[in-house]
Amino acid sequence: MSEKTTADFWFDPLCPWAWLTSRWMLEVEQVRPVSVRWHVMSLSVLNEDKLDELPEHYRELLHTGWGPVRVCVAAEQKYGPEVLGALYTALGTRFHVRGEERTAETIAGALVDAGLDPELVRAMESTEYDEALRASHAEGIGLVGQDVGTPVIAVPGADGDPLGFFGPVVTPAPKGEAAGRLWDGTLLVASTPGFYEIKRTRDAEPVFD
């Protein structure tokens, strides 16, 4: 068996597109020698200096975005980073698949789903974890620059330095060997010197089934 490559994945549970990319990465783990290591980033942190430029509905969304990421950081500090994958799955299933509101009740339920202490939901309203949240966010966004969002993925580059990229943004999440082929192609373009972007206008909503 080939030695596994660690893929570091920065997520904000607020984002449905990052959720789809994360489900793709779980498929990649099954068909390529890849192991995902989860980290927290925050769209609320990313956009806090440009709120006046954003539509009102998005500002309101970002306001609610502090709670889930604070809880993720609190869980990471209490149990270790290995719990983030299960907690992200629990949160994303409730937020994006079931369409539940981002309330304390929902987040406490996700904590229980992940086998974690539901009392961690108290972190939603606390700034105690913001320094660690900002540090984790800065580590991920520092690999790709400020003009992208979540997710950020990083793998070891040919020179030993992290090779970071945003995305891919895809719906629905590819499965099986299709997931593996997208991974192969993503690494190919991301590792090409001077390559920055392939993009087209999104004409479909996120598909979660």
Side-chain angles (χ1 to χ4, degrees):
M1 293 289 292
S2 300
E3 183 178 350
K4 285 193 174 183
T5 296
T6 297
D8 289 288
F9 190 109
W10 280 265
F11 67 90
D12 183 331
L14 199 67
C15 179
W17 296 100
W19 167 256
L20 287 168
T21 306
S22 73
R23 301 308 94 182
W24 163 68
M25 283 303 305
L26 294 181
E27 289 287 318
V28 171
E29 283 190 312
Q30 303 304 311
V31 296
R32 294 293 185 270
V34 172
S35 178
V36 181
R37 184 165 56 192
W38 305 95
H39 308 268
V40 185
M41 65 182 296
S42 171
L43 292 173
S44 301
V45 171
L46 181 66
N47 291 284
E48 63 183 342
D49 293 332
K50 47 189 174 185
L51 290 177
D52 292 342
E53 306 169 15
L54 301 174
E56 182 178 356
H57 74 277
Y58 195 56
R59 292 199 303 270
E60 293 175 355
L61 185 67
L62 294 176
H63 178 72
T64 69
W66 287 98
V69 288
R70 285 169 171 164
V71 170
C72 286
V73 173
E76 181 181 20
Q77 291 190 0
K78 180 170 182 175
Y79 294 101
E82 61 272 10
V83 304
L84 283 177
L87 180 55
Y88 182 27
T89 290
L91 288 167
T93 299
R94 286 176 174 266
F95 291 169
H96 306 304
V97 180
R98 301 181 190 172
E100 297 181 22
E101 297 295 326
R102 298 171 184 84
T103 62
E105 181 180 7
T106 297
I107 294 172
L111 286 162
V112 172
D113 295 342
L116 308 177
D117 182 1
E119 289 300 311
L120 287 172
V121 74
R122 297 178 183 274
M124 287 182 67
E125 304 300 330
S126 172
T127 59
E128 176 183 352
Y129 302 96
D130 287 6
E131 182 177 354
L133 168 62
R134 291 177 184 278
S136 181
H137 173 87
E139 182 182 10
I141 207 70
L143 296 171
V144 293
Q146 295 290 326
D147 59 345
V148 299
T150 179
V152 170
I153 300 175
V155 296
D159 57 2
D161 292 332
L163 171 65
F165 52 90
F166 162 70
V169 176
V170 61
T171 188
K175 295 178 171 58
E177 184 56 25
R181 289 195 300 271
L182 178 57
W183 175 252
D184 298 339
T186 299
L187 291 187
L188 177 62
V189 297
S191 62
T192 299
F195 174 83
Y196 294 104
E197 189 172 6
I198 289 177
K199 191 171 184 178
R200 61 182 178 181
T201 300
R202 300 178 201 174
D203 58 3
E205 295 298 316
V207 177
F208 301 121
D209 56 352

